[in-house]
Amino acid sequence: MTTPAPIQAPPRALPAGTARTLYLGYYAFILLGVNASAIGPALPAFAERTGASLAQVGLLFTPFALGYATSVLIMGPISARSGTRALLLAGATCLVISLTLLTLGRSLMLIYLGAYLLGLGQSGTQVGYNALVGLLAGDKAARTLNRLNAFFGIGALSGPLLVALGYSVLGDGSLAFGASLFMSVPLWVAAWRRHEQQPAEKRLLSDETGKMTFSDVLRQPVLWVLGITASIYVSAEVTFSGWAAAYAERSAGVGPAESALMVTVFFAAFTAGRYAADAVARFVSPSVIVTAAIGVSALGVLKMIAGAQVFAINLIGAATVGFAFGPIYPIFLSYGIRLFPRHATLATGFLTSAAAVATLVVPSAVGVLMAEQGARAGWWAVLGLIVALLGAWLTLSRRLARQLPVQQRK
């Protein structure tokens, strides 16, 4: 078994002069949220432009997820060899190219390629800013990453509005990606100019000079346990948000317009949960927040199963689960950064890819289960994922207790 890299005590606060990096991270996550949430509403526009069926363009979710899943194999070596600046530049370049294809592409293959590059660019940008901000935050990583990732929720709420505006004003919902293309240019410029970063950042961004290689990091058992735990969580999150509207339609008998509120409520509460975790983390440890969040999310799902026929109860359940789910993933990222401070981007990239692999299978499988066995069967499966998450988290907690100093677990 390879010995984990020595844990270095991180700084207690953001170094002076790095506020620009944090604000760029906020901006980046808004853009990532817009891109991810605009895909679904824009599918009819893609179908009309390419002459393909809605079912055919709907398959672009697969290359999009593959972009995330393969990012550790592509973006990881870039970061390891050339540093965080190169990772952010590669991510921003993929975003620019992909959004151009999604805005102007007129063939199905170009749309698929755009979706793959979008996933790859989203992952590179997400990993880069998560690792960078997490390192700069030091022992406040869990709080700061929850605040950073909350901006993804703001973007996710804005994406469908941009698509609707495109349909109503210009008659083409996919032109929302043109707005995203314009928004991505500042990220590319900022990544290109990262040589102007503060000396304090240069001292912290030592992941390129660590003694462990890329393969050494991937051989660490604790990273795999953390990756499995994160993948179970993301599977539950994507499954719940992806099928919440369908669950309400089938169990409560509401129409599409009402059922869409389930997703809106979920993401609004999801964003609020991350902001709340930022405040609560001043008084309790991240591990306590994760344990409580898993328990509350289970109660929310049980509430929806018990009151399946009442739409108001479904809305309350969606809000409960969203609020509880919000802080979990950023805290997992903060543990990855603390375990491997010299390889933060590699660890973060691995967790991102591991989560994406799981979403290729689990949400679709639960959808089949709901179609064959009914809506409640699908939600029992979601509850099963949450129980599995609890078991994985308890296993991970024991490993973290052995490998992280006390001050870094708090």
Side-chain angles (χ1 to χ4, degrees):
M1 181 183 300
T2 306
T3 303
I7 300 298
Q8 299 177 349
R12 294 190 60 81
L14 287 173
T18 60
R20 176 175 173 271
T21 297
L22 186 59
Y23 291 128
L24 273 171
Y26 293 161
Y27 178 83
F29 271 74
I30 290 175
L31 176 62
L32 299 182
V34 169
N35 294 340
S37 63
I39 293 177
L43 290 180
F46 290 139
E48 181 178 353
R49 196 198 316 154
T50 61
S53 68
L54 191 60
Q56 287 176 311
V57 296
L59 293 175
L60 66 79
F61 284 109
T62 298
F64 178 67
L66 283 173
Y68 267 95
T70 58
S71 65
V72 70
L73 302 176
I74 300 172
M75 296 296 185
I78 291 175
S79 172
R81 294 171 185 171
S82 304
T84 306
R85 175 178 179 266
L87 173 64
L88 293 175
L89 187 58
T93 300
C94 285
L95 286 179
V96 169
I97 296 173
S98 66
L99 292 169
T100 300
L101 291 174
L102 292 174
T103 303
L104 303 176
R106 296 195 171 276
S107 73
L108 195 57
M109 292 308 298
L110 286 178
I111 297 298
Y112 287 165
L113 177 60
Y116 174 78
L117 291 175
L118 183 64
L120 194 61
Q122 296 256 120
S123 178
T125 303
Q126 178 179 328
V127 167
Y129 279 105
N130 268 320
L132 181 59
V133 171
L135 278 172
L136 294 173
D139 59 0
K140 302 183 190 306
R143 288 178 52 194
T144 308
L145 288 178
N146 260 298
R147 193 186 321 142
L148 173 67
N149 282 267
F151 282 83
F152 183 93
I154 295 175
L157 292 172
S158 304
L161 297 179
L162 286 175
V163 175
L165 183 63
Y167 279 126
S168 60
V169 176
L170 301 172
D172 187 352
S174 65
L175 292 179
F177 292 104
S180 292
L181 173 61
F182 178 79
M183 292 173 63
S184 67
V185 173
L187 289 183
W188 192 92
V189 174
W192 181 259
R193 300 182 62 187
R194 275 210 63 78
H195 62 277
E196 298 177 358
Q197 66 194 11
Q198 298 294 321
E201 289 189 20
K202 293 181 180 180
R203 289 195 299 271
L204 282 170
L205 297 175
S206 56
D207 53 336
E208 297 86 0
T209 61
K211 295 180 179 179
M212 298 177 71
T213 66
F214 177 74
S215 59
D216 288 336
V217 175
L218 295 182
R219 285 198 292 266
Q220 301 304 306
V222 67
L223 182 62
W224 282 92
V225 176
L226 181 57
I228 292 171
T229 307
S231 68
I232 295 173
Y233 160 72
V234 174
S235 295
E237 176 199 317
V238 173
T239 300
F240 186 94
S241 62
W243 293 107
Y247 181 83
E249 287 185 38
R250 298 178 186 183
S251 61
V254 296
E258 291 177 290
S259 66
L261 289 174
M262 295 284 290
V263 182
T264 302
V265 166
F266 173 84
F267 278 113
F270 187 82
T271 304
R274 287 181 170 174
Y275 280 116
D278 178 26
V280 172
R282 300 179 183 183
F283 310 103
V284 298
S285 69
S287 62
V288 172
I289 294 176
V290 172
T291 304
I294 294 173
V296 171
S297 66
L299 290 176
V301 174
L302 282 172
K303 183 184 300 182
M304 294 178 70
I305 293 174
Q309 296 179 339
V310 182
F311 182 59
I313 292 180
N314 282 309
L315 284 176
I316 294 172
T320 302
V321 175
F323 188 83
F325 273 179
I328 295 178
Y329 188 67
I331 291 176
F332 287 166
L333 291 178
S334 74
Y335 282 128
I337 293 169
R338 293 176 183 185
L339 285 165
F340 304 99
R342 292 188 176 185
H343 296 274
T345 52
L346 298 185
T348 306
F350 175 82
L351 296 179
T352 302
S353 292
V357 169
T359 61
L360 291 173
V361 178
V362 177
S364 298
V366 172
V368 172
L369 180 64
M370 290 178 66
E372 295 182 353
Q373 303 295 328
R376 285 189 179 180
W379 249 227
W380 279 112
V382 171
L383 183 62
L385 288 172
I386 294 174
V387 172
L389 173 62
L390 177 61
W393 165 242
L394 294 177
T395 301
L396 174 62
S397 297
R398 288 192 291 269
R399 286 185 173 269
L400 292 175
R402 292 195 298 267
Q403 294 192 230
L404 282 178
V406 174
Q407 67 270 20
Q408 291 198 45
R409 297 198 299 268
K410 293 182 178 180

